[in-house]
Amino acid sequence: MSVAICLFTADLRVHDNPVLRAALDAADQVVPLFVVDDGVRDAGFVVPNRAAFLADCLADLDGALRSRGGRLVVRRGDVVAEVVRVAEETGAGSVHLARDVSAYAQRREARLGRALETSGRRLCVHDSVTVVPPGAITPASRGHFAVFTPYFRKWSDVPVREPLADPDTVPVPAVRSERLPSGADLADGAPSPVLPRGGEGEGRRRAAAWLDGPVTRYADRHDDLAGDATSRLSPYLHFGCLSAVELVRRATAVGGPGAMAFVRQVAWRDFNRQLLADHPEVAHEDYRPRGDRWRAEEAAVAAWRRGRTGYPLVDAAMRQLAEQGWMHNRGRLITASFLTKIMYVDWRVGARHFLDLLVDGDVANNQLNWQWVAGTGASTRPNQVIDPLVQARRFDRRGDYVRRWVPELAEIEGAAVHRPWLLPTEVRRRLDYPDPLIDLDEGRERFHRARSGGER
């Protein structure tokens, strides 16, 4: 019987999975393979929060395959060596893989293609991660769009394919597998206390609940920090537990301003991926260098990481990240601007901290969103500074978000919680909360002076 390998990477699902579907169509039997990749671990990308979520995803995927007569085959080691070994053990003639855009993913694909060709086997790469594949739409003058708005116009005109039906059966040949890993097997250290459960089943449950009402209010409420009115589907998209194609089609079917605002946010994910695909170096290099001479502020950065800057909205968002492995998107903008423009610290410092904790930590989205805020990325307003006090007035007017995440300030009522340095002295003395790390006006002026070539 003919055999094909479906190599799962960023597409840990059975519904609308072009890689799995193509492998099933190509052969009588399929090896659903996941390799615990030494290269990903060595790159420092495997951290406790994502490891815990990944372990859930793999267990859920194995269950879904077993319900269809198959199972997930797990190997550990160098991904190319392990795939070739499984191909030799099973006589597989082809390997099917999702196209991805990071420098590592591009090298993996090239290495795997050469190794398989040497042994007379084929590598088949499929678009399984995005709605519109990177490179499918480009401006006339370059290989990627550098500004989101014209990209989104083109993106919106691309017909979205029909989701693929999930398979009834997945026949798997006899082949050795290691046991499913736990989070502790994958990464050292304890995860954050309150993480979402991973897996396609949980992702589809959450997506159905989101699309059955809350999405219609997204346009009006997505910036409401205390309201927590976003989808929280980003971890499931990052690991491929949900199909971006299916999600966009279902949201579009709901229609209305809320659903279409949500679809626009999914398009940002594709925008970042098409940029990284064309310039993989921007994961660690400035996309648009500004001549920054970033400050080395170790003690201040430590305070930022701990949520002890003295600015309650910044600190609340940083503590949410530590507790949940997730942060509201508005919080991500506020905390990133504070670090890169008020403190004038290199965006790579903040991006690394986010990658250390975010369950949805994604090279394309994380690095390029940090660059966007820092003004070295695809922003059309590179020197804009996001003022946390203005943001507090607009998006946490009553202070509920701060009181939830900064318990030292829980007794302070109303908007006064955002400016604890103005409280009466006797109240201030009993609060275990720091004074502001830096004066906002001074930090803003220092940033603009540095960007204009002056002292930092």
Side-chain angles (χ1 to χ4, degrees), residues 80-140:
V80 173
E82 290 303 319
V83 170
V84 170
R85 186 173 291 116
V86 171
E88 291 172 346
E89 291 172 4
T90 60
S94 61
V95 174
H96 298 259
L97 171 72
R99 189 184 314 278
D100 212 341
V101 298
S102 70
Y104 177 78
Q106 293 185 41
R107 290 195 302 270
R108 176 182 63 195
E109 180 183 323
R111 287 179 58 222
L112 189 54
R114 290 192 297 268
L116 292 170
E117 185 178 16
T118 299
S119 59
R121 295 178 169 89
R122 293 180 297 116
L123 176 64
C124 305
V125 182
H126 307 275
D127 293 306
S128 179
V129 176
T130 57
V131 180
V132 176
I137 51 175
T138 58

Side-chain angles (χ1 to χ4, degrees), residues 86-364:
V86 171
E88 291 172 346
E89 291 172 4
T90 60
S94 61
V95 174
H96 298 259
L97 171 72
R99 189 184 314 278
D100 212 341
V101 298
S102 70
Y104 177 78
Q106 293 185 41
R107 290 195 302 270
R108 176 182 63 195
E109 180 183 323
R111 287 179 58 222
L112 189 54
R114 290 192 297 268
L116 292 170
E117 185 178 16
T118 299
S119 59
R121 295 178 169 89
R122 293 180 297 116
L123 176 64
C124 305
V125 182
H126 307 275
D127 293 306
S128 179
V129 176
T130 57
V131 180
V132 176
I137 51 175
T138 58
S141 59
R142 58 170 68 185
H144 68 277
F145 280 88
V147 178
F148 176 73
T149 300
Y151 172 79
F152 183 60
R153 283 197 294 267
K154 290 283 189 181
W155 186 93
S156 301
D157 290 338
V158 176
V160 180
R161 65 169 176 80
E162 289 279 349
L164 303 171
D166 60 303
D168 294 325
T169 60
V170 181
V172 178
V175 59
R176 178 183 66 83
S177 174
E178 296 188 14
R179 66 177 177 83
L180 290 170
S182 67
D185 294 330
L186 296 169
D188 295 330
S192 294
V194 186
L195 295 181
R197 186 167 76 246
E200 180 181 15
E202 178 67 10
R204 293 185 70 81
R205 184 192 69 77
R206 288 176 177 242
W210 169 248
L211 295 168
D212 187 25
V215 72
T216 62
R217 300 183 290 277
Y218 180 74
D220 296 326
R221 299 194 60 207
H222 69 278
D223 280 325
D224 180 359
L225 285 159
D228 197 14
T230 63
S231 74
R232 292 204 180 216
L233 296 177
S234 53
Y236 303 93
L237 285 169
H238 169 65
F239 283 92
C241 306
L242 291 176
S243 157
V245 164
E246 183 183 4
L247 190 59
V248 163
R249 285 190 68 96
R250 291 175 67 185
T252 302
V254 172
M260 299 320 295
F262 175 69
V263 167
R264 182 183 175 92
Q265 292 304 308
V266 179
W268 267 104
R269 180 174 178 268
D270 282 10
F271 172 77
N272 286 333
R273 285 180 173 272
Q274 58 93 40
L275 198 161
L276 187 65
D278 203 36
H279 285 283
E281 72 280 1
V282 300
H284 52 84
E285 296 178 10
D286 290 348
Y287 176 59
R288 290 176 174 154
R290 304 291 180 185
D292 288 302
R293 295 168 296 151
W294 304 107
R295 294 170 64 88
E297 297 277 4
E298 292 185 11
V301 169
W304 175 83
R305 288 188 181 117
R306 295 196 311 270
R308 297 282 291 176
T309 68
Y311 288 97
L313 194 61
V314 173
D315 294 342
M318 296 302 294
R319 296 186 195 190
Q320 180 181 29
L321 173 62
E323 179 82 5
Q324 297 187 338
W326 186 87
M327 187 192 292
H328 192 289
N329 186 59
R330 177 56 54 177
R332 300 187 197 204
L333 297 175
I334 294 165
T335 55
S337 182
F338 188 87
L339 184 75
T340 59
K341 290 178 174 174
I342 299 297
M343 294 170 60
Y344 198 45
V345 170
D346 194 333
W347 63 266
R348 282 159 279 247
V349 173
R352 179 67 259 178
H353 181 67
F354 272 34
L355 280 180
D356 285 343
L357 290 172
L358 284 172
V359 175
D360 64 18
D362 178 281
V363 171

